[in-house]
Amino acid sequence: MAALMAALARPFRRGPAGLGTALRREAMGGPRGRGTQVLRKNLQRGVVLSTGSFLVYEAHKLISGFAEVHASFKVEDVIEQADYLYGSGETEKLYRLLVQHKNSDDAELLWRLARSSRDLAQLGSTSAEEKKKLTYDSLEYAKKALEKNESNFAAHKWYGICLSDVGDYEGIKTKIGNAVIIKEHFQRAIELNPKDATTIHLIGIWCYSFAEMPWYQRKIAATLFNTTLCFTGSSLLPHGRRR
């Protein structure tokens, strides 16, 4: 390297013409020709690497852009497939499809996952331990759906349903304490979609539950709310699939 720098420095002292002569002499295989060839190869390699880096960068931008477009269609495709599986009664396949998207930011996917988790929990083949886990998971998915889109009527409906289910594990006091919250979510769901028959039916069950509640539950409700409103110990939504 020192010899090369010295060779390049001498022509500068003789002016531009001297530089050209020196480079020609080095290129013809003289003692200093090897150093110049190394320099040229290094320069060429630098150009190739720079070009390669640019192409990689452009390819990355293209792939990223395609991925974003593809992702926007993927949500719709998953929802379409999920609705087909739900209509076909494929509970386990539906859950396996939707649970892959549990970290999604899409409320439509999340409330469907909450519903699917609940349906799987109610299958006779599901163990008691797994049922409990799925019940709590379904509430978390419904809660996340609400966080992503408070104006989604189905998210409110399924949050109310799943909150009622969790009460079976929390005890009667907690279940009664959640009663008002559950009703509020059902009412909000009806406000957002007055034509949803399931939510209207749930409000009816909620009111009937108060009318049929045992005396000891009335006493608990009176203590919690300082009122005569009460709540039954059974789940708000009868066992079975609902839209």
Side-chain angles (χ1 to χ4, degrees):
M1 180 61 71
L4 176 60
M5 294 303 296
L8 291 176
R10 285 194 294 274
F12 278 109
R13 290 195 292 269
R14 296 194 295 269
L19 175 61
T21 302
L23 289 178
R24 283 194 298 273
R25 183 167 57 247
E26 302 297 333
M28 293 180 67
R32 305 183 189 90
R34 290 189 297 275
T36 305
Q37 290 174 5
V38 172
L39 175 63
R40 286 179 175 175
K41 288 181 180 180
N42 287 337
L43 291 173
Q44 291 173 351
R45 187 180 297 111
V47 171
V48 171
L49 291 175
S50 298
T51 304
S53 299
F54 174 76
L55 291 175
V56 170
Y57 172 72
E58 289 299 315
H60 173 72
K61 288 202 304 181
L62 180 62
I63 293 172
S64 298
F66 174 78
E68 291 176 1
V69 173
H70 181 68
S72 65
F73 286 99
K74 187 176 181 180
V75 171
E76 296 177 0
D77 291 344
V78 173
I79 289 176
E80 182 178 359
Q81 186 177 358
D83 289 346
Y84 173 79
L85 291 173
Y86 184 82
S88 302
E90 298 284 356
T91 303
E92 295 180 357
K93 289 183 180 179
L94 175 59
Y95 175 78
R96 288 197 296 269
L97 169 68
L98 292 175
V99 77
Q100 300 176 63
H101 305 279
K102 62 182 181 180
N103 295 320
S104 172
D105 291 331
D106 191 282
E108 290 292 328
L109 282 177
L110 291 169
W111 75 254
R112 282 174 170 82
L113 177 55
R115 180 183 65 182
S116 176
S117 300
R118 183 183 188 273
D119 287 345
L120 185 59
Q122 294 190 4
L123 290 181
S125 58
T126 303
S127 66
E129 182 179 355
E130 184 65 15
K131 179 178 180 179
K132 182 177 181 179
K133 180 181 182 302
L134 287 167
T135 299
Y136 279 91
D137 286 347
S138 66
L139 179 61
E140 287 301 312
Y141 298 141
K143 180 181 178 181
K144 187 176 178 181
L146 278 178
E147 292 172 351
K148 299 303 179 182
N149 185 0
E150 194 279 335
S151 297
N152 189 300
F153 90 93
H156 282 281
K157 175 174 68 176
W158 285 99
Y159 182 83
I161 293 171
C162 295
L163 183 59
S164 175
D165 290 342
V166 167
D168 293 339
Y169 297 98
E170 299 290 333
I172 187 62
K173 185 175 180 180
T174 299
K175 196 170 186 71
I176 292 175
N178 289 336
V180 174
I181 299 174
I182 292 169
K183 184 180 181 182
E184 288 174 351
H185 282 282
F186 287 163
Q187 289 176 328
R188 177 61 175 152
I190 292 176
E191 289 175 4
L192 294 168
N193 186 3
K195 296 182 180 181
D196 184 61
T198 302
T199 313
I200 296 173
H201 177 64
L202 290 172
I203 286 289
I205 294 177
W206 191 93
C207 295
Y208 178 79
S209 297
F210 278 99
E212 293 295 312
M213 135 215 94
W215 67 268
Y216 68 90
Q217 292 183 12
R218 291 178 182 271
K219 192 169 183 179
I220 295 174
T223 301
L224 291 175
F225 305 120
N226 193 26
T227 179
T228 57
L229 289 178
C230 299
F231 186 63
T232 185
S234 60
S235 177
L236 275 176
L237 187 65
H239 292 294
R241 301 168 76 247
R242 292 292 186 274
R243 299 295 297 185

